[in-house]
Amino acid sequence: MVKRQRKTMDDCEDSSDGPSTHSPDSSGEQSDSEEGIRIEDDDLDAQGEDAQQQQSLPEPAEDTGDEIPDAKSKKPKKVRKLKLSATHDFNAKLQKRGILYLSRVPPRMGPAKVKTLLTDFGTITRVYLVEEDKTRRKKRRKAGGSGGKRYTEGWVEFESKKVARSAGDTLNMTRVTNHKGSIHYDDMWNVKYLRGFKWSHLTEKVAYERRVREQKLRVEMMEVRRENASYIAQVEAGKKMDHIQERMKKRKQKDGGSGGGAVNVDDGMAKKKRKIRQKKPFEGDRSSTKSAILGSLV
């Protein structure tokens, strides 16, 4: 298209160079046509430049649906499936474990310290200590004692039953430590080996106690709500009675003001007394009754 337009422009220029046989009006028309051709040529050049720029731009990538992986994205964790043999081995290990019972835990002794003191006999798998009641702790603090945590009893699980039995036999009724500078120098071990006791029994016991405690709290809350509801009902009934008494008092005052005499307000609230008719006892002549009695005896 650009070549054809240029050819037409050259033809027009050749014709303009030849002898002029046209009038001055025709020369004006010819100049107008030349200006229009030049404007068209400029537009075509601009279109050509735009086309070259579009060709030089990179083509947009096609949407294939695959997102670019982020460098910071975490890799999915691999799920390792347990084999049946591994579960059997774990159950066998649980059957070999033994549990030691602590009937008293000395003050200032926690699970970590119990574990460190008893690891001399063998490997310990689990330790559980029961914390004392909060009310007892508050009372001790009010009395001027220490406000730290204390434990009442505990259970220690050893990896082997033999180790747990030997620890119970050797530690029972002995000193916690032989160092005179230690805090637990005067404390004694009160321990016992629990034969046939498993850690599952302990978890069941703890869960049962928790359920019982929750049930007690639920019952107490229900009783409190019932008492609160009854109290509110009584208060509402009292308000109604007070309103009735005020209305009766106003009515009596109006009636008394019209009659001109003082009226007691409590007369209207007084209850009516029931009158029961009673028969009088029979009283006959004493002489006749005496004679009747003597006649019957004869």
Side-chain angles (χ1 to χ4, degrees):
M1 291 291 293
V2 176
K3 291 179 180 180
R4 289 179 183 177
Q5 292 291 338
R6 287 180 177 176
K7 284 181 180 179
T8 54
M9 290 173 64
D10 294 334
D11 296 336
C12 292
E13 289 177 358
D14 294 337
S15 61
S16 61
D17 294 333
S20 61
T21 58
H22 300 286
S23 60
D25 297 332
S26 63
S27 64
E29 292 176 358
Q30 187 176 0
S31 62
D32 293 336
S33 63
E34 289 177 357
E35 290 178 358
I37 291 166
R38 289 176 183 175
I39 292 167
E40 289 179 358
D41 192 5
D42 295 337
D43 295 337
L44 291 170
D45 293 337
Q47 290 178 2
E49 291 177 357
D50 294 337
Q52 289 178 0
Q53 289 179 359
Q54 289 179 358
Q55 289 178 359
S56 62
L57 291 174
E59 294 182 357
E62 296 181 357
D63 293 332
T64 57
D66 298 333
E67 295 181 355
I68 298 171
D70 190 4
K72 296 182 180 179
S73 61
K74 296 181 179 179
K75 295 181 180 179
K77 294 182 179 180
K78 293 182 180 180
V79 179
R80 295 181 179 180
K81 296 181 180 180
L82 291 175
K83 295 182 180 179
L84 187 62
S85 60
T87 56
H88 287 309
D89 295 339
F90 182 73
N91 292 328
K93 289 179 181 178
L94 289 178
Q95 293 295 328
K96 292 179 181 179
R97 293 179 181 179
I99 294 174
L100 196 69
Y101 174 68
L102 280 74
S103 62
R104 178 185 174 273
V105 180
R108 298 182 182 179
M109 184 178 287
K113 197 161 190 177
V114 170
K115 189 173 182 179
T116 54
L117 290 172
L118 296 178
T119 46
D120 296 336
F121 293 91
T123 56
I124 295 172
T125 54
R126 284 178 281 195
V127 178
Y128 176 70
L129 301 181
V130 179
E131 191 176 350
E132 67 176 354
D133 193 8
K134 292 182 180 179
T135 56
R136 190 180 299 176
R137 184 180 176 184
K138 287 181 181 178
K139 288 180 181 179
R140 187 175 68 251
R141 188 180 295 174
K142 286 181 180 179
S146 63
K149 284 185 180 181
R150 289 188 182 181
Y151 300 93
T152 56
E153 57 182 357
W155 289 264
V156 181
E157 186 184 42
F158 286 89
E159 193 174 7
S160 176
K161 293 180 181 179
K162 294 180 180 179
V163 175
R165 189 183 293 110
S166 64
D169 294 337
T170 55
L171 288 177
N172 192 23
M173 300 306 294
T174 58
R175 290 180 183 274
V176 174
T177 180
N178 293 323
H179 298 286
K180 292 184 179 181
S182 177
I183 302 170
H184 305 292
Y185 178 74
D186 296 328
D187 294 326
M188 306 288 287
W189 285 112
N190 294 324
V191 297
K192 183 181 179 181
Y193 170 70
L194 300 178
R195 185 178 180 183
F197 189 80
K198 301 297 178 185
W199 197 262
S200 58
H201 300 158
L202 178 61
T203 54
E204 289 175 2
K205 174 180 174 292
V206 173
Y208 174 74
E209 289 177 353
R210 187 182 294 111
R211 286 197 298 270
V212 169
R213 186 167 56 255
E214 289 176 356
Q215 186 68 19
K216 286 182 180 179
L217 290 173
R218 196 178 295 112
V219 170
E220 289 177 358
M221 290 295 293
M222 290 174 67
E223 290 179 357
V224 170
R225 287 175 184 172
R226 194 181 296 112
E227 290 177 359
N228 192 13
S230 63
Y231 176 74
I232 291 169
Q234 290 177 2
V235 170
E236 293 294 333
K239 288 181 180 180
K240 288 180 181 179
M241 293 300 296
D242 294 338
H243 185 63
I244 291 167
Q245 288 179 2
E246 288 178 0
R247 288 176 62 188
M248 292 182 70
K249 188 185 290 185
K250 290 179 181 179
R251 191 178 297 172
K252 290 291 182 180
Q253 287 177 359
K254 286 181 182 179
D255 296 339
S258 60
V263 179
N264 190 8
V265 179
D266 295 335
D267 293 339
M269 297 298 294
K271 293 182 179 179
K272 294 181 179 180
K273 293 182 180 181
R274 293 181 63 187
K275 293 181 179 181
I276 300 170
R277 294 181 181 180
Q278 295 181 357
K279 292 182 179 181
K280 293 181 179 180
F282 177 75
E283 294 180 359
D285 297 334
R286 291 182 179 179
S287 60
S288 62
T289 54
K290 287 181 180 180
S291 62
I293 293 167
L294 291 172
S296 64
L297 291 174
V298 174

